Amino acid sequence: MDIRAQKTFEALFALEDVREMLRQSLPGSTGPTDMDGFNEQIRHIRSVIDDLEAGTGVPEITKIGGTLGIRSREEEYVNIQPIQAAGRLTPEARKALIAYGDGYSTCDSCRKPFRLDKISKPPIADFHQELAAFLNMDTARVVPGARRGFQAVTSSLVKPGDTVIVSSLAHYTEFLAVEGAGGVVKEVPLNENNIITADAVADRIEDVTAETGKLPALIMIDHFDYQLANEHDVSGIGKVARQYDIPFLYNGAYTVGVMPVDGKKIGADFIVGSGHKSMASPAPSGVLATTDEWADVVFRTTQMTGDLTNRKFGVKEVEMLGCTLMGSTLMAMIASFPTVKERTQKWDEELKKSNFLMDKLLEIEGSAVLSEYPRKHALSKVDTTGSFDVVAEKHKRRGFFFSDELTKRGIVGEFAGATRAWKLSTYGLSWEKINYLADSLQDIAEKYEIKVNRDKL
Amino acid sequence: MDIRAQKTFEALFALEDVREMLRQSLPGSTGPTDMDGFNEQIRHIRSVIDDLEAGTGVPEITKIGGTLGIRSREEEYVNIQPIQAAGRLTPEARKALIAYGDGYSTCDSCRKPFRLDKISKPPIADFHQELAAFLNMDTARVVPGARRGFQAVTSSLVKPGDTVIVSSLAHYTEFLAVEGAGGVVKEVPLNENNIITADAVADRIEDVTAETGKLPALIMIDHFDYQLANEHDVSGIGKVARQYDIPFLYNGAYTVGVMPVDGKKIGADFIVGSGHKSMASPAPSGVLATTDEWADVVFRTTQMTGDLTNRKFGVKEVEMLGCTLMGSTLMAMIASFPTVKERTQKWDEELKKSNFLMDKLLEIEGSAVLSEYPRKHALSKVDTTGSFDVVAEKHKRRGFFFSDELTKRGIVGEFAGATRAWKLSTYGLSWEKINYLADSLQDIAEKYEIKVNRDKL
C-alpha cells in the first residue's frame, strides 16, 4: 500500500486504541487508568504521524483483527467500478461512522412514540422531512437498501397472482420483491434504442389486462437501468400510470443522490433510492418516499393485539418492522446529505466528464459505446471487442492483460478479465482523474498497437 | 466533553481530512496534490495530539457536517442503557468501519455466483460458516437486524390466517413479522415467576389446535425477553415443538453474542440474533441461522423468469432479497466476531457483576428486583418505588432528580425521569465500573436519607 495511505490508517487505528482507553476509564478521572500505556500510545502516534508526513516507514498493521485486510481502493486508485462510485463516503460521513458506530447510537434520546423517524436528537426527524422535500414527495423513510423499499411496496400492494409491470432491464431485486409478495412480473419491451417508452408501458398494460382480466397492481420502472444506464421515459410512464390508475414506483437507485429527482413532476407514487449506491452512504441504506395518498398504505401502523396481554404497539409500521437504520448507517447518510443535495445540482458537469471519457474511448479504433450516446449518465457500458479484446485473443493473460495494464496505472474497478462488453462509471472523479483515465486507456491501446485517433474531436 | 475525548475525535476527524486528500490525488503521485495543505494539516494534527496528551486545549469541532453532535457517551460515561451495552463496538469493529465505510466496500472481489455470502475476499464466506458453527446450526445468513430474520421466517412459513405461538413478553417486532405474513399471534401465558414453560407452550398449542382445527405454523420464543430478561425454557419448548412437529424459532436477540447458544441442543429450527444488540456490531445487523431441513425453505432461491427476456437470477435468495449487508456493517460484525466468540465464554463473570449490582441495589431500603432473582442476565428490571421514587415524589425535579444525580456522577442510560420501574444493563462493564456504579447508587440514596444497609451480605 502507498505508505501515506498506510500510515493514515495506522494513525486512525492507533487513535481508536486511545479511544478505547478512554472508554475503559472511570468518569471524571483526570486521564486514562493506564497513564503509562496512554503516553506510550501517544508516542507511537507521533511516530506514525512523522512517517505520514515524510511518506516513509514500513507497514506495521496489515490486517484488522488479524483477518481483514485494509481496504485502500479509494486512497490508492482511480476507481471506475460501475456501482461503487456514488456510494463512496464523504469525509463527513466517515466522521459520523467514527462517532456513531456503536449499535444503538441513534437511540440515546428516543422518547415517545419510540420510532426512529421521530427522534429529534440527533436530528433524524428533520432529516426525514428534508429527504421527502428533496424528492418532492410527502413522506419518506430510510430502509436497509433500495430492495427493502421495493419489498415494502410490493408487500403492501401486490396480492398473490397480481401482475407487476417491470422493465426488460429491471434489476433482480425488483423481481425478488414481486416474488416475495406472490406476484407475477410482466416485462415491458425495449424500443430500438434500448429505451422503455410510455407507449410500450401502455401497450403492456393493455395486453396484461386483456390476458388476465385485471389491471396490473403496480408499475415499477427504473429511471436509469443497471445494465446500460439508459434513461427511460419515467415522466411519460407516470402519465400512463395515472391514466390507468395504477400506482407507479420510480426506481431511483441510479438517480436519487446524483441528479435532481422531482417525484411530483414525474408523477411517481413511490420513489425508491439507494444509500450505498447513490447517496454516499454505507450499506445497507436506502430511501422509500411516497405521497399522502399512499403513505397510510405502505407505512400503515400495526393492528396487532396480544390476545392474552392486550398489548398494542401503536405507531410501529408493519412494513418498516418498526425502526430501520438505528445507528451509524443512518448517521453517515445524514452527514453526507448536504453534500449529496449539492452534488445533484452538478449533474451536468458529471455528464460532461462521462461524455468526454466516452469520446476518448471512441478515439480508440474498434471501440463502441453500448449505452445510449451521448451519455445521460456517468455509468456506461462499452464494447472493446474490436480493440482491447483483439489483443486479449492473442495475449497469454487473455483479458487479464487489460486489468494488468489498468492496475499498473493505478486504475481499478473494471470487471477483471473482461475485454468485450464491460461497464464503468466516471461519477465523482475530478477532471484531473478523468484526463488521467482517458490518457491511460489510450496509452494502453497504443502500447498494443491499436490505432488511436487522438483528439479527433 | 472531556477534553481528551474531544481531542481524540478531533484527531480522528483531522486524519479523515488527510485521507480525503489522498483520495483526491492521482495514483502513483509522490504525495497529495496540495502538499502545502497536507503539511498544514499534519501540523494541525500534531497540535491536536499535543492537547490530547496534555489533556488541555479548547474544543474546535462540535458538530459533524455542521449538524451532528459528536457522540461521546461511551468515552465519558458509564452507560447502563439496557439495550446498548452489548452493541458497543470493539476497537477492531471501529477500525473496520473506518476502512470499509464506502457503500459497496465488500464487493471488490465479488465473482460468480454473485452473492454476498459467497465472497471469499474479504473472508465473508468463511464468516458465514463460522457463524453457523458458533450457533451449532447448519447454515447462517446476515440480515439487517433480528427483525428481518423474523420476517424471513414468517414470510416463508406463515400463510394468511395461520397461527404463531409467541410469548406474553414477545417483542413487538415478532408481532409485526407475523402481521406482515397475515398470521395471527397467540400468546403463551407466564407462570407465577414470569417464565414461559414448556408445559404452557404445549397447552397453548392444544388450545389453538382445538379452536382453529389446525396446528400453529410456528413457535417463536425469546430465550431472554426484553422486558424482564427472564430466562424461558427454550430447551423444553424445543422438545414440545418436536413433539407437535411445529418449527421453532429461537429468538436470541439477548443471547447470541453474549452467552453460549447451541441451536441443536436447544432443538431450534431457526435462530435469530441481533448484531447491534448483542454482537458488538453497527445497526442494522443480525443473523438468521437454520438447519439443513429448513434452509431450502427460508433461503429458497428465486424461481422468477422474465417473461420477455427469459432472464433468471440463479442463486439469489428471495427472503434475503439477494445480498444483505454489503459494506461496513458486515465488516464491523466480522471484525468483532473473535471477541464476541470469546466473550460468550465469560458469561458467568457477567452474571456475577449483574448479581453484585442487584445485591447492592437491594441494600438500598425499599428497592426491589422485578426480574427473576438471582439474575441470569446482565439486563435487569428494578423497582425503586420504595426508595428513589419516595424522594422524587417531593423533589421539584420529580424523577429527574435521580437522572441529575446519576449524570453528575458520569452515569447515563437510565430512562430519564423514571424512578419506579426501570431497566439497566451491566453488560461488559469492568468490575471497577460496577463498583463505581454500586457506590454511586448507594451514595445517591444516602444523600437523600434513604437507608442503605451497606455490606449486608
Side-chain angles (χ1 to χ4, degrees), chain A residues 4-5 8-9 11-13 15-17 19-20 22-23 25 27 30-31 35 38 42 45-46 49-50 52-53 64-65 68-69 71 73-76 78 83-84 87-89 91-92 94-95 97 99-105 108 144 147-148 151 167-168 170 172 175-176 179 185-187 189 204 226-227 276-277 281-284 302-304 306-309 311 313 316-318 321-329 331 409-410 433 436, chain B residues 4-5 8-9 11-13 15-17 19-20 22-23 25 27 30-31 35 38 42 45-46 49-50 52-53 64-65 68-69 71 73-76 78 83-84 87-89 91-92 94-95 97 99-105 108 144 147-148 151 167-168 170 172 175-176 179 185-187 189 204 226-227 276-277 281-284 302-304 306-309 311 313 316-318 321-329 331 409-410 433 436:
Chain A
R4 283 206 171 88
T8 302
F9 282 115
L12 284 161
F13 296 171
L15 278 161
E16 284 292 354
D17 290 332
R19 185 180 177 189
E20 189 63 21
L22 300 179
R23 287 183 164 215
S25 306
T30 53
M35 206 64 205
F38 172 79
I42 293 289
I45 292 172
R46 284 217 177 88
I49 300 290
D50 289 345
L52 169 58
E53 181 175 39
I64 299 165
L68 304 178
R71 185 177 188 265
R73 172 175 278 227
E74 302 294 350
E75 286 72 22
E76 294 199 277
V78 175
I83 63 170
Q84 290 183 349
R88 265 179 221 124
L89 298 191
E92 301 312 310
R94 296 201 299 273
K95 295 170 191 174
L97 272 189
Y100 286 88
D102 296 305
Y104 281 105
S105 62
D108 296 342
R147 58 197 76 200
R148 295 293 182 172
Q151 182 188 37
S167 160
S168 281
Y172 80 85
F175 277 72
L176 264 52
E179 186 170 9
V185 290
K186 295 290 178 184
E187 295 175 317
R204 203 71 226 266
Y226 79 104
Q227 289 193 46
H276 49 269
K277 192 167 267 153
S281 302
T302 176
Q303 300 301 311
M304 298 290 263
D307 67 318
L308 293 188
T309 60
R311 287 185 295 160
F313 304 98
K316 304 290 189 185
E317 294 167 346
V318 180
L321 288 162
C323 304
T324 53
L325 313 179
M326 308 81 137
S328 54
T329 310
M331 294 307 279
R409 289 165 176 80
K433 287 190 178 175
Y436 177 83
Chain B
R4 282 204 171 88
T8 302
F9 282 114
L12 284 161
F13 296 171
L15 278 161
E16 284 293 354
D17 291 332
R19 185 180 178 190
E20 189 63 20
L22 300 178
R23 288 184 163 213
S25 306
T30 53
M35 207 63 207
F38 173 79
I42 294 289
I45 291 171
R46 284 214 176 89
I49 301 289
D50 290 345
L52 168 59
E53 182 176 37
I64 299 165
L68 304 178
R71 184 176 188 264
R73 171 174 279 227
E74 302 294 348
E75 287 72 23
E76 295 199 276
V78 175
I83 64 171
Q84 290 183 349
R88 265 180 221 124
L89 297 191
E92 301 312 308
R94 296 201 299 273
K95 294 170 191 174
L97 272 189
Y100 285 88
D102 295 305
Y104 282 104
S105 61
D108 295 344
R147 58 197 76 198
R148 295 294 181 173
Q151 183 188 38
S167 159
S168 281
Y172 80 85
F175 276 72
L176 264 52
E179 186 170 9
V185 291
K186 296 288 178 185
E187 295 174 315
R204 203 71 225 266
Y226 78 104
Q227 289 192 47
H276 48 269
K277 192 167 268 156
S281 302
T302 176
Q303 300 302 310
M304 297 292 263
D307 67 319
L308 293 186
T309 60
R311 288 185 293 160
F313 304 98
K316 303 291 190 185
E317 294 167 345
V318 180
L321 288 162
C323 304
T324 54
L325 313 180
M326 307 82 135
S328 53
T329 309
M331 295 307 279
R409 289 165 175 80
K433 285 189 178 176
Y436 177 83

Side-chain angles (χ1 to χ4, degrees), chain A residues 316-390:
Chain A
K316 304 290 189 185
E317 294 167 346
V318 180
E319 296 298 341
M320 298 298 105
L321 288 162
C323 304
T324 53
L325 313 179
M326 308 81 137
S328 54
T329 310
L330 174 57
M331 294 307 279
M333 200 176 182
I334 296 176
S336 274
F337 193 55
T339 305
V340 162
K341 278 198 288 191
E342 203 185 316
R343 76 188 193 179
T344 61
Q345 300 303 316
K346 298 177 188 160
W347 182 239
D348 283 352
E349 193 66 17
E350 295 296 334
L351 296 187
K352 274 184 203 155
K353 292 183 217 164
S354 179
N355 279 298
F356 174 84
L357 192 79
M358 289 304 106
D359 292 342
K360 289 294 174 185
L361 181 84
L362 290 171
E363 287 177 6
I364 301 171
E365 278 198 3
S367 304
V369 178
L370 297 176
S371 304
E372 62 181 336
Y373 175 84
R375 300 297 303 124
K376 296 180 187 169
H377 203 280
L379 167 65
S380 298
K381 188 168 193 174
V382 300
D383 186 342
T384 52
T385 307
S387 53
F388 297 118
D389 193 58
V390 174

Side-chain angles (χ1 to χ4, degrees), chain A residues 188-310:
Chain A
V188 179
L190 300 165
N191 73 4
E192 66 283 7
N193 299 317
N194 291 323
I195 302 292
I196 301 287
T197 65
D199 284 348
V201 171
D203 288 348
R204 203 71 226 266
I205 293 170
E206 293 287 347
D207 293 349
V208 166
T209 310
E211 191 190 321
T212 64
K214 201 178 159 193
L215 279 175
L218 180 67
I219 300 167
M220 181 156 34
I221 299 286
D222 328 296
H223 189 173
F224 286 83
D225 66 87
Y226 79 104
Q227 289 193 46
L228 299 165
N230 285 354
E231 182 171 26
H232 306 286
D233 181 15
V234 285
S235 293
I237 294 164
K239 286 199 192 75
V240 168
R242 282 277 164 284
Q243 283 160 11
Y244 287 92
D245 201 21
I246 303 171
F248 172 37
L249 185 156
Y250 166 99
N251 179 358
Y254 286 93
T255 56
V256 173
V258 294
M259 60 176 277
V261 172
D262 184 329
K264 294 276 168 72
K265 201 166 156 192
I266 292 161
D269 297 291
F270 304 98
I271 288 189
V272 170
S274 169
H276 49 269
K277 192 167 267 153
S278 299
M279 299 175 77
S281 302
S285 61
V287 55
L288 168 60
T290 189
T291 59
D292 286 338
E293 185 186 354
W294 290 102
D296 290 344
V297 175
V298 74
F299 300 135
R300 69 194 177 282
T301 54
T302 176
Q303 300 301 311
M304 298 290 263
T305 306
D307 67 318
L308 293 188
T309 60
N310 285 317

